[in-house]
Amino acid sequence: MAIGIGFGREQPLRPGVVRPLRFSAPPAVHAGALWLAAAAPVLATLLLIARLAV
């Protein structure tokens, strides 16, 4: 039995349209999530350099 993964609110499907049981990607990507994912390794590297410099 397939379980939906909660990516947020989606538009309801039209009558007669069936959602596939296998996982499909969300319809859109949150821009803030992309910035956070890109900034986390950069920030971690800067913190490590600052820690080693002291």
Side-chain angles (χ1 to χ4, degrees):
M1 182 169 132
I3 300 173
I5 299 175
F7 282 109
R9 294 184 165 175
E10 294 182 5
Q11 294 295 327
L13 297 175
R14 295 186 312 262
V17 176
V18 180
R19 182 182 311 276
L21 293 179
R22 62 184 176 82
F23 172 77
S24 59
V29 177
H30 192 275
L34 290 176
W35 277 105
L36 182 63
V42 174
L43 180 61
T45 303
L46 291 175
L47 289 172
L48 180 62
I49 292 171
R51 172 79 174 161
L52 293 175
V54 173

